Amino acid sequence: MRDRAEKDAAFSTFVRANGATLLHAARLLTGDHHRAEDLVQAALTKLYLRWGRVDAPLAYTRRVLVTTHLDASRRRWGGERPSEVIPETAVDDGSGRADDRDELRRLLRDLEPRERAVIVLRYYCDLSEQDTATTLRIPLGTVKSTGSRALAKLRVQAGRT
Amino acid sequence: MSPSEDELRAALREGQDGGLDADAVIRHAHTARRARRVRFATTAGAVIVVAGIGAGAAALAHHDGSGPAPAAQPPGRASVATPAPGHAGVPAAGVRSADPSQCPVRPERLMLPGGGGTGQFGGDGPLFTATVNSLLACGYRGSGPVRAVQLTGDGAQSVADGLDAAVAVAPGGPRCSGPSAAGLVLRAPGQPDVVVTFSCAPDSNQATNGTAVRYDWHVPPSLLQLVAP
């Protein structure tokens, strides 16, 4: 009973310290707040069930988060696809820089799931290319090529707006 | 707009707010764990029930004699026939072929107790005076080669018991007369050999160790094959 209380306390501390980051990463990955909450809940549940047996809880949760999302994306084939024609256009209300950021995050949703995962891990979670490759369990070269392709897409799309 | 990496970082970080309710996650994890355990227990229970039904059906089929045929025995192993009703002393298991060089060259000719008369003193005593854990059976048929099998464990004791359970008094009525060319020697360690001599039919025989005698022993098929032509 005491062990469980200690485990719950340690887990709560971890969630308080990293919950917001994980939730935001999930939001960037899914593009949807509710799906992001579900995704984080699933990842943290897996972490809780393995708590004490995981060496690096944050890295483990990130990996579960991304791989669960990619698996779900594969199952939802056709749910989201990049398109040449952007269905929604940003309304220019003159707020400048903030709109640019909104635009970037909107363009992020048009990337393929794995491209988005690389961008989120590299530029939001600040992981190195090697760590990104480890998290996604793909070769380093694939991370590099996927990342540069994703950035190129973002620049092309952003240049059009 | 052509975003730099810093702009991308800033864009991605914008809007990060709010934390998570750790207690809710823990409650959800406990629920998930319970559900997983229930699923596991249900699956395990189903497997046990199915296995139990399968085992029961197999046991019933075996009991009814409608089960699958037993697998072929490996080479070098004598076959053990299923005991026929009323046949005593049939070895259930533990029969294997043996080296005939351990057998006597020919069965010793033993005098029947009291000259072979019925009801002679000592004639109804046991042929095997101690527990039989191992029994060498040597079969003789005319001038043919000696054939031998080794019985061990329950199989050996079963043969000994069956032999001792045979009648100790020569049955009355017409009997075929004249010894056949077949003979059987049963050798248990530390005990006198039991010599079985056959008349005209396998079930018409007499067995003696020189002290006790038995008649018309139902010879188990696994031993009968030693004296078969």
Side-chain angles (χ1 to χ4, degrees):
Chain A
M1 201 66 187
R2 188 179 157 195
D3 285 349
R4 182 172 152 182
E6 285 177 2
K7 174 185 172 180
D8 287 359
F11 182 77
S12 296
T13 305
F14 172 84
V15 172
R16 273 196 298 276
N18 301 290
T21 311
L22 289 167
L23 181 60
H24 193 64
R27 215 180 284 145
L28 293 172
L29 285 170
T30 61
D32 180 275
H33 181 73
H34 297 293
R35 273 169 55 198
E37 281 186 335
D38 290 345
L39 187 59
V40 172
Q41 173 124 307
L44 287 174
T45 298
K46 282 186 183 176
L47 174 68
Y48 180 81
L49 296 176
R50 291 178 61 89
W51 189 263
R53 288 177 288 156
V54 175
D55 292 333
L58 183 58
Y60 173 81
T61 314
R62 260 197 308 248
R63 191 171 71 238
V64 171
L65 197 75
V66 174
T67 52
T68 304
H69 169 65
L70 291 179
D71 288 346
S73 301
R74 273 194 283 272
R75 284 196 294 272
R76 280 196 307 273
W77 174 247
E80 290 177 60
R81 305 183 81 161
S83 169
E84 284 297 314
V85 181
I86 300 170
E88 300 166 20
T89 51
V91 178
D92 185 4
D93 62 357
S95 52
R97 220 172 161 75
D99 278 354
D100 287 348
R101 289 175 184 170
D102 287 344
E103 179 65 14
L104 264 178
R105 286 167 55 186
R106 193 184 62 74
L107 292 176
L108 188 69
R109 290 201 286 268
D110 292 334
L111 296 177
E112 288 177 15
R114 191 154 84 172
E115 293 171 342
R116 206 183 312 156
V118 169
I119 292 294
V120 170
L121 290 174
R122 288 279 289 118
Y123 298 105
Y124 175 67
C125 299
D126 282 331
L127 296 190
S128 66
E129 286 177 329
Q130 183 60 59
D131 289 343
T132 303
T134 305
T135 302
L136 290 171
R137 290 178 173 162
I138 56 175
L140 179 61
T142 307
V143 169
K144 288 180 178 174
S145 59
T146 306
S148 55
R149 190 169 58 242
L151 282 177
K153 278 185 185 175
L154 286 175
R155 283 179 181 134
V156 167
Q157 295 292 342
R160 287 180 185 170
T161 60
Chain B
M1 181 193 103
S2 180
S4 68
E5 291 188 3
D6 287 339
E7 285 172 331
L8 182 57
R9 281 196 174 89
L12 293 176
R13 288 204 169 89
E14 198 171 82
Q16 177 181 317
D17 56 357
L20 285 171
D21 181 0
D23 291 338
V25 175
I26 291 172
R27 279 196 301 275
H28 184 264
H30 287 160
T31 307
R33 175 179 282 164
R34 268 196 301 277
R36 198 167 64 176
R37 283 179 179 163
V38 167
R39 254 198 324 274
F40 178 78
T42 307
T43 307
V47 168
I48 289 169
V49 166
V50 169
I53 289 171
L60 279 175
H62 183 71
H63 184 71
D64 293 345
S66 58
Q73 289 182 330
R77 219 179 145 87
S79 63
V80 181
T82 305
H87 276 225
V90 177
V95 182
R96 59 182 170 81
S97 59
D99 180 7
S101 65
Q102 302 173 66
C103 297
V105 177
R106 64 183 62 84
E108 190 180 357
R109 282 184 174 275
L110 297 174
M111 295 297 290
L112 290 179
T118 57
Q120 293 297 317
F121 178 75
D124 59 351
L127 288 168
F128 296 96
T129 53
T131 304
V132 179
N133 295 318
S134 164
L135 194 65
L136 176 69
C138 307
Y140 304 83
R141 180 77 198 181
S143 58
V146 180
R147 289 178 275 188
V149 292
Q150 182 78 46
L151 295 94
T152 53
D154 290 343
Q157 187 63 56
S158 173
V159 168
D161 291 343
L163 197 47
D164 274 333
V167 292
V169 177
R175 289 171 62 81
C176 54
S177 59
S180 76
L184 201 59
V185 172
L186 304 173
R187 178 170 280 181
Q191 301 192 48
D193 285 355
V194 174
V195 178
V196 184
T197 51
F198 294 85
S199 298
C200 52
D203 278 348
S204 178
N205 57 60
Q206 60 184 35
T208 181
N209 59 358
T211 305
V213 66
R214 293 292 185 276
Y215 295 93
D216 296 355
W217 169 47
H218 291 291
V219 186
S222 56
L223 302 187
L224 203 56
Q225 69 183 6
L226 297 175
V227 292

